[in-house]
Amino acid sequence: MDEQVTDPVLTRLLRHRTGLKAGGRPGEPEVMATYWTAAGETPFAFCRHGLLLAPGPGERFIPFAEVADAGYYNSEMIERAKAARAAQAPGAAAPLVIRLFSDERVTLPVEIRDDGMPDLLTIAKLISQRAAIHGAGRGRP
């Protein structure tokens, strides 16, 4: 049976209407879903154990266990998502900034869909959930 159909993590990732689409480049079994912009760019992908930034030459892998804050519970992010929803203008939105335990900030470009919903909080929530699962039992907050 096809893993993309039966995998519960992938099913959850794709349940929400965002720029995420199943799969990645051929030969990348760990890439479960890739974020596609309206311009056809792929700035990041969800892998089984982390995020792949700029898939392709020069890509960078960030394990979910290294994510300290995906911004989902950040009041500034909630206000930005509300403002984007109120504007209802499809296209680029303010980027999602995640913080790693090393205090490094990583910026992920996200968009506002045609229906006016920003991907900002949905992607932040998915990253937060994966980070909590992968960081469980490691003594991290």
Side-chain angles (χ1 to χ4, degrees), residues 15-58:
R15 180 181 311 163
H16 305 282
R17 186 169 182 214
T18 66
L20 287 173
K21 294 185 172 97
R25 295 185 315 259
E28 290 181 330
E30 290 296 310
V31 174
M32 297 170 40
T34 302
Y35 188 86
W36 289 82
T37 66
E41 297 171 350
T42 55
F44 63 93
F46 274 81
C47 297
R48 190 158 303 283
H49 301 289
L51 291 171
L52 187 62
L53 306 182

mmCIF file of all heavy atoms in Angstrom, residues 15-58:
data_model
loop_
_atom_site.group_PDB
_atom_site.id
_atom_site.type_symbol
_atom_site.label_atom_id
_atom_site.label_comp_id
_atom_site.label_asym_id
_atom_site.label_seq_id
_atom_site.Cartn_x
_atom_site.Cartn_y
_atom_site.Cartn_z
ATOM 1 N N ARG A 15 -4.046 17.829 5.741
ATOM 2 C CA ARG A 15 -5.450 18.055 6.109
ATOM 3 C C ARG A 15 -5.832 19.525 5.959
ATOM 4 O O ARG A 15 -6.952 19.859 5.600
ATOM 5 C CB ARG A 15 -5.691 17.613 7.550
ATOM 6 C CG ARG A 15 -7.130 17.819 8.003
ATOM 7 C CD ARG A 15 -7.342 17.400 9.422
ATOM 8 N NE ARG A 15 -6.792 16.083 9.663
ATOM 9 C CZ ARG A 15 -6.544 15.588 10.859
ATOM 10 N NH1 ARG A 15 -6.819 16.290 11.929
ATOM 11 N NH2 ARG A 15 -6.029 14.398 10.999
ATOM 12 N N HIS A 16 -4.894 20.407 6.233
ATOM 13 C CA HIS A 16 -5.144 21.839 6.178
ATOM 14 C C HIS A 16 -4.874 22.363 4.769
ATOM 15 O O HIS A 16 -3.991 21.884 4.083
ATOM 16 C CB HIS A 16 -4.247 22.573 7.178
ATOM 17 C CG HIS A 16 -4.379 22.050 8.570
ATOM 18 N ND1 HIS A 16 -5.434 22.373 9.375
ATOM 19 C CD2 HIS A 16 -3.596 21.204 9.274
ATOM 20 C CE1 HIS A 16 -5.296 21.756 10.535
ATOM 21 N NE2 HIS A 16 -4.190 21.042 10.499
ATOM 22 N N ARG A 17 -5.628 23.376 4.389
ATOM 23 C CA ARG A 17 -5.427 23.976 3.078
ATOM 24 C C ARG A 17 -4.276 24.970 3.168
ATOM 25 O O ARG A 17 -4.432 26.079 3.681
ATOM 26 C CB ARG A 17 -6.697 24.681 2.634
ATOM 27 C CG ARG A 17 -6.598 25.187 1.239
ATOM 28 C CD ARG A 17 -7.936 25.642 0.736
ATOM 29 N NE ARG A 17 -7.742 26.067 -0.636
ATOM 30 C CZ ARG A 17 -8.405 27.055 -1.178
ATOM 31 N NH1 ARG A 17 -9.313 27.692 -0.486
ATOM 32 N NH2 ARG A 17 -8.170 27.391 -2.414
ATOM 33 N N THR A 18 -3.115 24.543 2.734
ATOM 34 C CA THR A 18 -1.913 25.379 2.729
ATOM 35 C C THR A 18 -1.175 25.129 1.419
ATOM 36 O O THR A 18 -1.673 24.423 0.556
ATOM 37 C CB THR A 18 -0.968 25.030 3.899
ATOM 38 O OG1 THR A 18 -0.462 23.704 3.692
ATOM 39 C CG2 THR A 18 -1.652 25.133 5.249
ATOM 40 N N GLY A 19 0.019 25.665 1.327
ATOM 41 C CA GLY A 19 0.856 25.432 0.158
ATOM 42 C C GLY A 19 1.579 24.097 0.208
ATOM 43 O O GLY A 19 2.389 23.802 -0.671
ATOM 44 N N LEU A 20 1.304 23.260 1.224
ATOM 45 C CA LEU A 20 1.960 21.957 1.321
ATOM 46 C C LEU A 20 1.351 20.966 0.343
ATOM 47 O O LEU A 20 0.132 20.840 0.247
ATOM 48 C CB LEU A 20 1.836 21.391 2.740
ATOM 49 C CG LEU A 20 2.682 22.049 3.813
ATOM 50 C CD1 LEU A 20 2.331 21.487 5.185
ATOM 51 C CD2 LEU A 20 4.161 21.876 3.522
ATOM 52 N N LYS A 21 2.244 20.276 -0.375
ATOM 53 C CA LYS A 21 1.821 19.210 -1.279
ATOM 54 C C LYS A 21 2.647 17.974 -0.964
ATOM 55 O O LYS A 21 3.819 18.071 -0.603
ATOM 56 C CB LYS A 21 2.025 19.632 -2.724
ATOM 57 C CG LYS A 21 1.128 20.784 -3.132
ATOM 58 C CD LYS A 21 1.271 21.082 -4.598
ATOM 59 C CE LYS A 21 0.239 22.084 -5.030
ATOM 60 N NZ LYS A 21 0.634 23.425 -5.089
ATOM 61 N N ALA A 22 2.041 16.818 -1.081
ATOM 62 C CA ALA A 22 2.714 15.558 -0.751
ATOM 63 C C ALA A 22 3.970 15.372 -1.587
ATOM 64 O O ALA A 22 4.000 15.687 -2.773
ATOM 65 C CB ALA A 22 1.769 14.382 -0.961
ATOM 66 N N GLY A 23 5.007 14.849 -0.922
ATOM 67 C CA GLY A 23 6.220 14.436 -1.599
ATOM 68 C C GLY A 23 7.239 15.525 -1.822
ATOM 69 O O GLY A 23 7.074 16.672 -1.428
ATOM 70 N N GLY A 24 8.330 15.102 -2.459
ATOM 71 C CA GLY A 24 9.439 15.987 -2.775
ATOM 72 C C GLY A 24 10.037 15.545 -4.084
ATOM 73 O O GLY A 24 9.327 15.027 -4.947
ATOM 74 N N ARG A 25 11.326 15.700 -4.214
ATOM 75 C CA ARG A 25 12.002 15.242 -5.429
ATOM 76 C C ARG A 25 12.092 13.725 -5.410
ATOM 77 O O ARG A 25 12.127 13.105 -4.351
ATOM 78 C CB ARG A 25 13.406 15.842 -5.495
ATOM 79 C CG ARG A 25 13.417 17.347 -5.626
ATOM 80 C CD ARG A 25 14.829 17.887 -5.819
ATOM 81 N NE ARG A 25 15.805 17.302 -4.921
ATOM 82 C CZ ARG A 25 16.262 17.876 -3.820
ATOM 83 N NH1 ARG A 25 15.822 19.048 -3.462
ATOM 84 N NH2 ARG A 25 17.165 17.287 -3.068
ATOM 85 N N PRO A 26 12.141 13.110 -6.593
ATOM 86 C CA PRO A 26 12.297 11.644 -6.642
ATOM 87 C C PRO A 26 13.546 11.200 -5.881
ATOM 88 O O PRO A 26 14.574 11.865 -5.917
ATOM 89 C CB PRO A 26 12.449 11.356 -8.135
ATOM 90 C CG PRO A 26 11.828 12.525 -8.814
ATOM 91 C CD PRO A 26 12.052 13.708 -7.910
ATOM 92 N N GLY A 27 13.434 10.107 -5.161
ATOM 93 C CA GLY A 27 14.570 9.583 -4.411
ATOM 94 C C GLY A 27 14.717 10.181 -3.032
ATOM 95 O O GLY A 27 15.716 9.960 -2.361
ATOM 96 N N GLU A 28 13.756 10.965 -2.584
ATOM 97 C CA GLU A 28 13.804 11.562 -1.254
ATOM 98 C C GLU A 28 12.680 10.979 -0.403
ATOM 99 O O GLU A 28 11.657 11.612 -0.190
ATOM 100 C CB GLU A 28 13.610 13.077 -1.323
ATOM 101 C CG GLU A 28 14.759 13.815 -1.921
ATOM 102 C CD GLU A 28 14.497 15.317 -1.920
ATOM 103 O OE1 GLU A 28 13.339 15.739 -2.004
ATOM 104 O OE2 GLU A 28 15.485 16.057 -1.827
ATOM 105 N N PRO A 29 12.867 9.769 0.106
ATOM 106 C CA PRO A 29 11.779 9.133 0.853
ATOM 107 C C PRO A 29 11.441 9.829 2.162
ATOM 108 O O PRO A 29 10.340 9.707 2.656
ATOM 109 C CB PRO A 29 12.313 7.726 1.115
ATOM 110 C CG PRO A 29 13.792 7.874 1.050
ATOM 111 C CD PRO A 29 14.055 8.960 0.050
ATOM 112 N N GLU A 30 12.358 10.593 2.710
ATOM 113 C CA GLU A 30 12.097 11.265 3.979
ATOM 114 C C GLU A 30 11.300 12.548 3.806
ATOM 115 O O GLU A 30 10.775 13.082 4.767
ATOM 116 C CB GLU A 30 13.412 11.557 4.715
ATOM 117 C CG GLU A 30 14.085 10.311 5.245
ATOM 118 C CD GLU A 30 13.249 9.600 6.307
ATOM 119 O OE1 GLU A 30 12.788 10.251 7.258
ATOM 120 O OE2 GLU A 30 13.056 8.387 6.174
ATOM 121 N N VAL A 31 11.233 13.103 2.590
ATOM 122 C CA VAL A 31 10.434 14.301 2.353
ATOM 123 C C VAL A 31 8.986 13.875 2.237
ATOM 124 O O VAL A 31 8.608 13.137 1.347
ATOM 125 C CB VAL A 31 10.890 15.062 1.086
ATOM 126 C CG1 VAL A 31 9.940 16.218 0.794
ATOM 127 C CG2 VAL A 31 12.307 15.584 1.261
ATOM 128 N N MET A 32 8.182 14.346 3.187
ATOM 129 C CA MET A 32 6.778 13.953 3.210
ATOM 130 C C MET A 32 5.889 14.962 2.504
ATOM 131 O O MET A 32 4.929 14.593 1.851
ATOM 132 C CB MET A 32 6.343 13.780 4.662
ATOM 133 C CG MET A 32 7.115 12.651 5.330
ATOM 134 S SD MET A 32 6.903 12.528 7.106
ATOM 135 C CE MET A 32 5.218 12.837 7.364
ATOM 136 N N ALA A 33 6.195 16.260 2.656
ATOM 137 C CA ALA A 33 5.404 17.306 2.024
ATOM 138 C C ALA A 33 6.300 18.510 1.767
ATOM 139 O O ALA A 33 7.151 18.841 2.579
ATOM 140 C CB ALA A 33 4.233 17.696 2.911
ATOM 141 N N THR A 34 6.095 19.142 0.635
ATOM 142 C CA THR A 34 6.876 20.308 0.240
ATOM 143 C C THR A 34 5.958 21.517 0.172
ATOM 144 O O THR A 34 4.830 21.417 -0.307
ATOM 145 C CB THR A 34 7.531 20.067 -1.139
ATOM 146 O OG1 THR A 34 8.353 18.898 -1.058
ATOM 147 C CG2 THR A 34 8.394 21.243 -1.558
ATOM 148 N N TYR A 35 6.446 22.664 0.655
ATOM 149 C CA TYR A 35 5.678 23.900 0.593
ATOM 150 C C TYR A 35 5.937 24.567 -0.754
ATOM 151 O O TYR A 35 7.075 24.845 -1.104
ATOM 152 C CB TYR A 35 6.077 24.847 1.733
ATOM 153 C CG TYR A 35 5.179 26.056 1.835
ATOM 154 C CD1 TYR A 35 3.991 25.993 2.558
ATOM 155 C CD2 TYR A 35 5.496 27.249 1.194
ATOM 156 C CE1 TYR A 35 3.149 27.087 2.649
ATOM 157 C CE2 TYR A 35 4.663 28.348 1.282
ATOM 158 C CZ TYR A 35 3.485 28.256 2.009
ATOM 159 O OH TYR A 35 2.646 29.342 2.088
ATOM 160 N N TRP A 36 4.874 24.818 -1.490
ATOM 161 C CA TRP A 36 4.951 25.458 -2.802
ATOM 162 C C TRP A 36 4.328 26.847 -2.721
ATOM 163 O O TRP A 36 3.216 27.012 -2.238
ATOM 164 C CB TRP A 36 4.188 24.639 -3.838
ATOM 165 C CG TRP A 36 4.867 23.363 -4.187
ATOM 166 C CD1 TRP A 36 4.823 22.193 -3.497
ATOM 167 C CD2 TRP A 36 5.698 23.131 -5.314
ATOM 168 N NE1 TRP A 36 5.586 21.234 -4.125
ATOM 169 C CE2 TRP A 36 6.133 21.788 -5.247
ATOM 170 C CE3 TRP A 36 6.124 23.919 -6.379
ATOM 171 C CZ2 TRP A 36 6.968 21.225 -6.199
ATOM 172 C CZ3 TRP A 36 6.956 23.355 -7.336
ATOM 173 C CH2 TRP A 36 7.369 22.023 -7.236
ATOM 174 N N THR A 37 5.065 27.852 -3.219
ATOM 175 C CA THR A 37 4.513 29.199 -3.308
ATOM 176 C C THR A 37 3.706 29.308 -4.597
ATOM 177 O O THR A 37 3.816 28.467 -5.492
ATOM 178 C CB THR A 37 5.622 30.266 -3.315
ATOM 179 O OG1 THR A 37 6.390 30.124 -4.515
ATOM 180 C CG2 THR A 37 6.517 30.155 -2.089
ATOM 181 N N ALA A 38 2.917 30.372 -4.714
ATOM 182 C CA ALA A 38 2.135 30.599 -5.931
ATOM 183 C C ALA A 38 3.048 30.779 -7.138
ATOM 184 O O ALA A 38 2.664 30.462 -8.266
ATOM 185 C CB ALA A 38 1.237 31.821 -5.752
ATOM 186 N N ALA A 39 4.286 31.237 -6.908
ATOM 187 C CA ALA A 39 5.252 31.423 -7.991
ATOM 188 C C ALA A 39 5.956 30.124 -8.376
ATOM 189 O O ALA A 39 6.792 30.110 -9.273
ATOM 190 C CB ALA A 39 6.286 32.468 -7.589
ATOM 191 N N GLY A 40 5.640 29.032 -7.685
ATOM 192 C CA GLY A 40 6.243 27.741 -8.011
ATOM 193 C C GLY A 40 7.555 27.452 -7.310
ATOM 194 O O GLY A 40 8.236 26.493 -7.648
ATOM 195 N N GLU A 41 7.908 28.264 -6.320
ATOM 196 C CA GLU A 41 9.141 28.028 -5.566
ATOM 197 C C GLU A 41 8.860 27.062 -4.428
ATOM 198 O O GLU A 41 7.732 26.934 -3.950
ATOM 199 C CB GLU A 41 9.675 29.347 -5.015
ATOM 200 C CG GLU A 41 10.053 30.334 -6.101
ATOM 201 C CD GLU A 41 10.377 31.711 -5.559
ATOM 202 O OE1 GLU A 41 10.128 31.976 -4.356
ATOM 203 O OE2 GLU A 41 10.863 32.539 -6.339
ATOM 204 N N THR A 42 9.911 26.368 -3.972
ATOM 205 C CA THR A 42 9.787 25.419 -2.864
ATOM 206 C C THR A 42 10.791 25.808 -1.772
ATOM 207 O O THR A 42 11.889 25.282 -1.712
ATOM 208 C CB THR A 42 10.046 23.978 -3.341
ATOM 209 O OG1 THR A 42 11.322 23.920 -3.980
ATOM 210 C CG2 THR A 42 8.970 23.520 -4.318
ATOM 211 N N PRO A 43 10.399 26.731 -0.874
ATOM 212 C CA PRO A 43 11.338 27.228 0.132
ATOM 213 C C PRO A 43 11.656 26.251 1.254
ATOM 214 O O PRO A 43 12.709 26.360 1.880
ATOM 215 C CB PRO A 43 10.651 28.475 0.682
ATOM 216 C CG PRO A 43 9.202 28.272 0.400
ATOM 217 C CD PRO A 43 9.133 27.437 -0.847
ATOM 218 N N PHE A 44 10.740 25.298 1.538
ATOM 219 C CA PHE A 44 11.021 24.329 2.593
ATOM 220 C C PHE A 44 10.144 23.105 2.408
ATOM 221 O O PHE A 44 9.171 23.113 1.661
ATOM 222 C CB PHE A 44 10.831 24.927 3.996
ATOM 223 C CG PHE A 44 9.420 25.364 4.316
ATOM 224 C CD1 PHE A 44 8.534 24.502 4.958
ATOM 225 C CD2 PHE A 44 8.979 26.633 3.990
ATOM 226 C CE1 PHE A 44 7.243 24.903 5.263
ATOM 227 C CE2 PHE A 44 7.693 27.052 4.295
ATOM 228 C CZ PHE A 44 6.826 26.183 4.926
ATOM 229 N N ALA A 45 10.553 22.044 3.114
ATOM 230 C CA ALA A 45 9.799 20.795 3.061
ATOM 231 C C ALA A 45 9.771 20.164 4.446
ATOM 232 O O ALA A 45 10.699 20.339 5.239
ATOM 233 C CB ALA A 45 10.444 19.825 2.066
ATOM 234 N N PHE A 46 8.687 19.462 4.725
ATOM 235 C CA PHE A 46 8.566 18.692 5.959
ATOM 236 C C PHE A 46 9.121 17.302 5.691
ATOM 237 O O PHE A 46 8.654 16.605 4.783
ATOM 238 C CB PHE A 46 7.098 18.543 6.384
ATOM 239 C CG PHE A 46 6.571 19.673 7.199
ATOM 240 C CD1 PHE A 46 6.147 20.843 6.593
ATOM 241 C CD2 PHE A 46 6.493 19.566 8.580
ATOM 242 C CE1 PHE A 46 5.645 21.889 7.345
ATOM 243 C CE2 PHE A 46 5.999 20.614 9.341
ATOM 244 C CZ PHE A 46 5.573 21.776 8.715
ATOM 245 N N CYS A 47 10.098 16.904 6.489
ATOM 246 C CA CYS A 47 10.628 15.546 6.431
ATOM 247 C C CYS A 47 10.115 14.808 7.665
ATOM 248 O O CYS A 47 9.525 15.406 8.562
ATOM 249 C CB CYS A 47 12.152 15.559 6.422
ATOM 250 S SG CYS A 47 12.843 16.385 4.979
ATOM 251 N N ARG A 48 10.351 13.543 7.722
ATOM 252 C CA ARG A 48 9.879 12.752 8.854
ATOM 253 C C ARG A 48 10.451 13.268 10.176
ATOM 254 O O ARG A 48 9.772 13.277 11.179
ATOM 255 C CB ARG A 48 10.251 11.288 8.647
ATOM 256 C CG ARG A 48 9.597 10.363 9.650
ATOM 257 C CD ARG A 48 9.526 8.941 9.165
ATOM 258 N NE ARG A 48 8.850 8.742 7.913
ATOM 259 C CZ ARG A 48 7.524 8.740 7.748
ATOM 260 N NH1 ARG A 48 6.738 8.969 8.756
ATOM 261 N NH2 ARG A 48 6.992 8.540 6.572
ATOM 262 N N HIS A 49 11.696 13.746 10.160
ATOM 263 C CA HIS A 49 12.352 14.139 11.410
ATOM 264 C C HIS A 49 12.795 15.595 11.455
ATOM 265 O O HIS A 49 13.520 15.983 12.373
ATOM 266 C CB HIS A 49 13.549 13.233 11.683
ATOM 267 C CG HIS A 49 13.172 11.791 11.780
ATOM 268 N ND1 HIS A 49 12.460 11.285 12.835
ATOM 269 C CD2 HIS A 49 13.369 10.770 10.921
ATOM 270 C CE1 HIS A 49 12.248 9.989 12.639
ATOM 271 N NE2 HIS A 49 12.781 9.658 11.482
ATOM 272 N N GLY A 50 12.394 16.400 10.474
ATOM 273 C CA GLY A 50 12.802 17.796 10.492
ATOM 274 C C GLY A 50 12.352 18.565 9.277
ATOM 275 O O GLY A 50 11.574 18.073 8.459
ATOM 276 N N LEU A 51 12.865 19.774 9.164
ATOM 277 C CA LEU A 51 12.565 20.649 8.037
ATOM 278 C C LEU A 51 13.758 20.684 7.098
ATOM 279 O O LEU A 51 14.903 20.756 7.547
ATOM 280 C CB LEU A 51 12.286 22.076 8.517
ATOM 281 C CG LEU A 51 11.013 22.311 9.302
ATOM 282 C CD1 LEU A 51 11.005 23.723 9.871
ATOM 283 C CD2 LEU A 51 9.798 22.094 8.411
ATOM 284 N N LEU A 52 13.482 20.662 5.826
ATOM 285 C CA LEU A 52 14.518 20.791 4.808
ATOM 286 C C LEU A 52 14.346 22.173 4.204
ATOM 287 O O LEU A 52 13.314 22.464 3.589
ATOM 288 C CB LEU A 52 14.359 19.704 3.749
ATOM 289 C CG LEU A 52 15.448 19.597 2.711
ATOM 290 C CD1 LEU A 52 16.796 19.264 3.361
ATOM 291 C CD2 LEU A 52 15.087 18.533 1.688
ATOM 292 N N LEU A 53 15.312 23.058 4.417
ATOM 293 C CA LEU A 53 15.244 24.415 3.900
ATOM 294 C C LEU A 53 15.854 24.469 2.520
ATOM 295 O O LEU A 53 16.910 23.882 2.285
ATOM 296 C CB LEU A 53 15.987 25.378 4.825
ATOM 297 C CG LEU A 53 15.575 25.371 6.296
ATOM 298 C CD1 LEU A 53 16.361 26.412 7.062
ATOM 299 C CD2 LEU A 53 14.083 25.599 6.449
ATOM 300 N N ALA A 54 15.214 25.172 1.627
ATOM 301 C CA ALA A 54 15.675 25.350 0.248
ATOM 302 C C ALA A 54 16.054 24.014 -0.381
ATOM 303 O O ALA A 54 17.205 23.803 -0.743
ATOM 304 C CB ALA A 54 16.838 26.328 0.195
ATOM 305 N N PRO A 55 15.087 23.098 -0.497
ATOM 306 C CA PRO A 55 15.404 21.790 -1.079
ATOM 307 C C PRO A 55 16.152 21.934 -2.402
ATOM 308 O O PRO A 55 15.772 22.733 -3.248
ATOM 309 C CB PRO A 55 14.028 21.154 -1.306
ATOM 310 C CG PRO A 55 13.133 21.834 -0.325
ATOM 311 C CD PRO A 55 13.661 23.237 -0.209
ATOM 312 N N GLY A 56 17.224 21.189 -2.535
ATOM 313 C CA GLY A 56 18.061 21.242 -3.732
ATOM 314 C C GLY A 56 19.500 21.527 -3.349
ATOM 315 O O GLY A 56 19.886 21.371 -2.188
ATOM 316 N N PRO A 57 20.300 21.987 -4.299
ATOM 317 C CA PRO A 57 21.696 22.304 -3.989
ATOM 318 C C PRO A 57 21.768 23.365 -2.889
ATOM 319 O O PRO A 57 21.051 24.352 -2.920
ATOM 320 C CB PRO A 57 22.245 22.851 -5.314
ATOM 321 C CG PRO A 57 21.328 22.319 -6.358
ATOM 322 C CD PRO A 57 19.978 22.197 -5.711
ATOM 323 N N GLY A 58 22.588 23.120 -1.895
ATOM 324 C CA GLY A 58 22.742 24.056 -0.788
ATOM 325 C C GLY A 58 21.663 23.944 0.275
ATOM 326 O O GLY A 58 21.565 24.786 1.159
#
